[in-house]
Amino acid sequence: MTPELNLSRDPAHLRHGSNIGQPISRRDGVLKVTGAARYAADSNPRGLLYAVLAVSSIARGCVASLDVEAAKAHPGVVEVMTQANRPPLADDPDGKPNPFAFRFEALQNDRVRYANQPIALVIAETLEAATEGAALLAPRYEAEPARIGLDADKPYVPPVVGMGFPAESRHGDVDAALASADKTIEAVYETPPHYHNAMEPHAIVAEWQGDKLVIDTPTQGLVMMQARIAALFGIPPENILIRSPFLGGGFGGKGLMAGPQVLGILAAKLVGRPVKLVVRREQLYGPFGHRSPTRQTLRLGANAEGQLSAIHHHARVVTSSFEDFYESAAHLTHTLYASPAIATTYDAVRVDTGTPLFVRAPGIAPGSIALESAVDEMAEACGLDPLAFRVKNYAEIEPGTGKPFSSKALRECYTQGAQRFGWWERPLKPRMMRDKDGFLVGWGMGTATFHALMFAGQARAVIRRDGTGAMETGSHDMGQGAWTALAQIAADALALDIDQVAYKAGTSDLPDAGIAGGSAHTATVGTAIHNAGAAVIAKLAELATSDQRSPLFGAGNAGVIARNGRLFRRDDESRGEAYGDILARAGLAEIDASGTGAPDAAANEQYAMHSHGAVFAEVKVDPDLGQVRVSRMVGAFAAGRIINPKMVQSQLLGGMIWGVSLALHEEAITDHRTGRIMNANLGEYHVPVNADIPAMEAFTVEEHDPYVNPLGIKGVGEIGITGSAGAVANAVWHATGVRVRRFPVRISDLVRRAD
């Protein structure tokens, strides 16, 4: 009889509980700081050739000619791949087999759809020869006028936004509520295009071994990529091995298959040798997705007491000329503030750029800076402190759906964050504070929120005769510490110390861990690991309780618990034995079991699931020069069960830094004549550096959620951005009295309009 282990649902009953919740340092940290961690571009198989992309310098038109002969004549060049000699594909790159299969360029024709589109590939014995050969191609074009910007074409209503949200959502009569409101505001906010700019560029090393394919490439979705490659090349997925143990940052940009990766595989097929393609920094601005620019119009109404009566959030976004992905910038408005009438609407414009896709906190990052700015403007119109206004309009249930929250400790975030920051010393009016050097000082805040997602994932657990364990899953660590946090869950799932558990991840031949995105990876894979551990211990317990030689014989009805590598009778913990003894007596070297993690459809139907937080920011502004410096930030976040406080704090601080970037630094600037990104490098595409980041504090508020998943985990990777950008923008207003609605905040906005 299988014992009642009580392992599948309540990990607190488990075992010793000494791994989960501990601030363990990164298991891969030493490898990374010593240079021992192997990234995709570090792979150098025998016979390796180097490939370099030639990319378009126009945004719309077609390639009229390439000087292929000049490139091939260059010493060291082996081949030039163009549309004329590219090996065939079994599937159309412009096909759409599923919603996550976005269209891309693989030299299927001579059309140019955006600047930096791959138009040829030069393959050579050395990187230098390939680079020089690409320059010799000297492409000529038949150019057409580029459509760039939010007003580039006639707007239309998209069929859906994000990953399936309706383009119009309403509850209540917004227009009537606005007409009868005592106080109203209407404001337009704009955010620019953003690019991922991970430290590690996209790269692929591809080698055909007969009808099998071995790939080294950074990816946030091993098995999903494996399936797409299999379809494109008409080979079984099991014939493809993808290795991606380490990613030097992803942020959504490495979540999906892109054209240059396919070109690297095609190049290896064309020349019959392994090929390495590492995309140059400036070439990343195009084929790999980016965040859409937005123009967001918010209309808010409130009664005389400051209670919201209506919110209308309209977003204009862009997509490419050949794909349909629309930034869901308005949708967080349905989740955050209580109002009897809320509407979100969208329109979209097609432009000649690469397709905008997922960037960290998609939709919610640009949406939150607009909403949080508008909420501050409404608080000012009502004569209320911004925090008091938010508390007055606190949503006890999700406004858009009427569902109760599975958990919500936002009040505690407001209270504890404000206390640590000293918020209640803030004067209500702007331009009332200066520091000892005469700089204007402003305090602002923003509410943070991000949906608590979970995808489907799998794991395999092993217990060995020597008393150690192993956990295998094709998970991804792009810098968030997954290899450490998931190993902690694995150790508790197997009731072993973390040093006794071998954690294997990062290749496509392991159980499918799903995609690392949406702040869902720890919840998804962690649940699969937890269930795999429960399953293998159940199998081990069945061996013992069915064996008359075991002290656990007959304990099935009473139940068995696992602790410190041993099984014990629940009704008599003096009776137990070690894992190794059970396996040795059974003549087994090891025992294994699989587990899955997947969303609970019933719980998702019943509850609204979100992480929450509150961010408080202080800025100092030079009254003469308009230069803005963030001088202090405090973020309080409620994100369910915390697996590793050290990793969580790192992720929250990283998100808050990105919020500073959104408010003050980050913008891709496009030449409207050519459609080319003018600052496609880390020298001119501004992101915060150490000197830009102040004293910054992030902490978590205790929160227990029994509904999101068996472990109670919510994500933390993206919530730090939301709230932070708005907090900085609102602090700029409080310092200067100037409300900037076009981001990033520019010195010219403040100098031109300030006193």
Side-chain angles (χ1 to χ4, degrees):
M1 178 184 298
T2 302
E4 297 177 7
L5 296 174
N6 292 331
L7 300 177
S8 62
R9 278 294 173 200
D10 187 358
H13 286 169
L14 265 189
R15 357 238 205 230
H16 57 324
S18 63
N19 298 288
I20 288 179
Q22 299 302 311
I24 297 172
S25 295
R26 296 175 64 111
R27 302 184 98 196
D28 56 343
V30 172
L31 293 175
K32 288 183 174 177
V33 299
T34 60
R38 303 286 293 177
Y39 292 84
D42 293 325
S43 177
N44 295 295
R46 185 183 298 274
L48 180 68
L49 296 174
Y50 297 83
V52 167
L53 290 174
V55 299
S56 64
S57 59
I58 66 168
R60 187 182 182 194
C62 65
V63 179
S65 68
L66 293 165
D67 196 344
V68 174
E69 293 308 314
K72 291 180 73 171
H74 187 72
V77 171
V78 174
E79 185 59 273
V80 176
M81 187 170 72
T82 70
Q83 62 165 331
N85 65 337
R86 187 210 74 178
L89 289 170
D91 206 1
D92 184 0
D94 281 320
K96 195 80 172 171
N98 63 70
F100 278 97
F102 291 95
R103 301 176 177 97
F104 59 85
E105 291 71 32
L107 306 180
Q108 60 263 49
N109 52 50
D110 63 0
R111 288 296 302 171
V112 174
R113 305 193 283 200
Y114 57 89
N116 271 345
Q117 175 184 315
I119 57 173
L121 195 74
V122 178
I123 309 155
E125 296 287 351
T126 66
L127 177 61
E128 293 78 7
T131 302
E132 292 159 2
L136 291 170
L137 286 171
R140 291 194 308 105
Y141 303 96
E142 294 176 3
E144 302 169 24
R147 298 165 295 179
I148 300 295
L150 289 157
D151 299 305
D153 207 350
K154 183 178 179 181
Y156 61 95
V157 177
V160 294
V161 296
M163 291 308 297
F165 296 124
E168 181 172 339
S169 298
R170 296 177 180 270
H171 72 266
D173 190 332
V174 167
D175 292 332
L178 286 169
S180 62
D182 296 305
K183 303 284 185 180
T184 60
I185 65 118
E186 180 172 351
V188 179
Y189 307 89
E190 290 196 7
T191 61
H194 295 153
Y195 284 79
H196 303 92
N197 274 307
M199 287 180 68
E200 177 199 26
H202 288 260
I204 186 166
V205 178
E207 180 179 9
W208 288 90
Q209 299 174 351
D211 61 351
K212 291 182 169 55
L213 176 62
V214 178
I215 298 169
D216 294 276
T217 192
T219 175
Q220 296 172 231
L222 280 161
V223 174
M224 188 166 69
M225 175 177 278
Q226 182 188 48
R228 188 81 198 274
I229 294 171
L232 285 165
F233 286 87
I235 59 178
E238 58 269 22
N239 282 16
I240 303 166
L241 175 64
I242 305 175
R243 298 182 296 220
S244 185
F246 298 106
L247 282 76
F251 317 124
K254 293 170 182 169
L256 303 167
M257 170 69 76
Q261 290 160 308
V262 177
L263 293 177
I265 301 169
L266 285 165
K269 180 175 277 291
L270 179 66
V271 298
R273 288 171 61 180
V275 168
K276 178 188 292 189
L277 169 62
V278 180
V279 182
R280 295 204 306 265
R281 174 69 55 181
E282 70 273 16
Q283 295 175 342
L284 299 175
Y285 291 71
F288 300 101
H290 63 281
R291 199 192 305 280
S292 164
T294 72
R295 180 181 295 148
Q296 302 174 60
T297 304
L298 279 112
R299 298 186 296 154
L300 277 66
N303 63 22
E305 289 73 42
Q307 194 75 46
L308 284 168
S309 56
I311 309 175
H312 181 199
H313 191 162
H314 177 78
R316 173 169 292 182
V317 297
V318 306
T319 192
S320 67
S321 63
F322 56 94
E323 187 53 276
D324 295 290
F325 180 87
Y326 306 94
E327 188 87 2
S328 54
H331 261 71
L332 82 161
T333 297
H334 288 291
T335 72
L336 209 48
Y337 297 110
S339 173
I342 298 177
T344 56
T345 55
Y346 292 83
D347 62 19
V349 172
R350 291 200 180 276
V351 296
D352 297 310
T353 69
T355 303
L357 289 170
F358 305 101
V359 180
R360 198 175 189 188
I364 298 180
S368 66
I369 195 171
L371 177 63
E372 289 305 297
S373 296
V375 166
D376 248 50
E377 296 201 45
M378 192 76 249
E380 181 195 4
C382 294
L384 291 173
D385 172 86
L387 177 53
F389 182 81
R390 286 167 171 83
V391 171
K392 181 180 281 288
N393 291 283
Y394 190 90
E396 300 292 351
I397 59 172
E398 186 176 50
T401 63
K403 294 179 182 179
F405 292 99
S406 58
S407 62
K408 186 180 182 183
L410 178 56
R411 285 188 190 276
E412 291 79 1
C413 294
Y414 283 149
T415 301
Q416 295 182 34
Q419 183 177 6
R420 293 205 192 189
F421 186 82
W423 177 263
W424 298 117
E425 300 298 319
R426 176 187 184 274
L428 191 61
K429 293 183 179 179
R431 294 183 70 93
M432 297 293 289
M433 296 194 296
R434 290 181 184 255
D435 71 2
K436 61 182 177 58
D437 297 316
F439 289 96
L440 297 166
V441 178
W443 290 0
M445 70 158 299
T447 304
T449 186
F450 198 78
H451 33 258
L453 291 175
M454 185 175 170
F455 304 130
Q458 302 168 353
R460 175 178 175 261
V462 180
I463 293 175
R464 299 173 177 139
R465 187 186 294 188
D466 64 3
T468 65
M471 192 67 69
E472 299 177 348
T473 179
S475 63
H476 315 80
D477 194 326
M478 51 189 162
Q480 79 273 42
W483 278 32
T484 307
L486 294 174
Q488 289 176 256
I489 297 172
D492 273 17
L494 297 175
L496 294 168
D497 185 79
I498 193 168
D499 292 330
Q500 296 175 290
V501 177
Y503 184 75
K504 188 175 182 182
T507 59
S508 62
D509 55 348
L510 296 173
D512 181 6
I515 189 168
S519 298
H521 200 49
T522 305
T524 300
V525 186
T527 300
I529 287 170
H530 169 62
N531 289 338
V536 76
I537 288 178
K539 289 176 71 172
L540 188 68
E542 186 172 11
L543 277 178
T545 58
S546 303
D547 186 345
Q548 294 184 3
R549 297 167 292 175
S550 171
L552 298 172
F553 176 67
N557 290 331
V560 173
I561 57 174
R563 187 183 301 117
N564 296 326
R566 298 177 66 87
L567 296 183
F568 299 89
R569 288 184 65 108
R570 188 176 295 278
D571 59 353
D572 182 3
E573 292 195 24
S574 67
R575 299 173 63 185
E577 65 177 331
Y579 296 169
D581 293 339
I582 298 169
L583 290 172
R585 198 168 47 247
L588 297 174
E590 63 181 35
I591 190 169
D592 73 298
S594 296
T596 61
D600 184 330
N604 276 276
E605 183 66 29
Q606 186 175 355
Y607 296 100
M609 299 177 179
H610 303 272
S611 297
H612 294 96
V615 182
F616 301 84
E618 175 184 89
V619 302
K620 295 185 178 182
V621 183
D622 187 312
D624 301 313
L625 301 179
Q627 186 179 54
V628 180
R629 293 286 189 188
V630 178
S631 50
R632 190 163 59 96
M633 291 184 79
V634 173
F637 301 93
R641 192 179 192 197
I642 303 303
I643 301 300
N644 185 314
K646 182 182 290 189
M647 304 298 164
V648 164
Q649 185 185 52
S650 174
Q651 287 297 290
L652 294 174
L653 290 173
M656 291 168 68
I657 292 167
W658 205 321
V660 173
S661 187
L662 198 162
L664 299 181
H665 296 268
E666 199 166 347
E667 176 183 22
I669 301 171
T670 306
D671 184 337
H672 283 239
R673 298 165 301 172
T674 65
R676 296 169 65 182
I677 304 294
M678 299 168 65
N679 58 334
N681 57 74
L682 289 179
E684 297 169 293
Y685 183 95
H686 293 157
V687 296
V689 297
N690 283 346
D692 298 308
I693 298 306
M696 187 175 281
E697 179 183 3
F699 66 94
T700 56
V701 171
E702 186 173 359
E703 182 179 66
H704 300 282
D705 195 317
Y707 305 109
V708 284
N709 49 68
L711 292 170
I713 298 169
K714 296 180 178 180
V716 296
E718 293 161 285
I719 189 174
I721 306 174
T722 72
S724 296
V728 173
N730 292 331
V732 170
W733 170 81
H734 188 243
T736 64
V738 177
R739 179 65 71 177
V740 179
R741 301 189 182 95
R742 183 170 67 104
F743 302 104
V745 175
R746 296 163 177 82
I747 288 175
S748 57
D749 296 326
L750 301 177
V751 171
R752 185 171 59 248
R753 297 163 57 190
D755 292 341

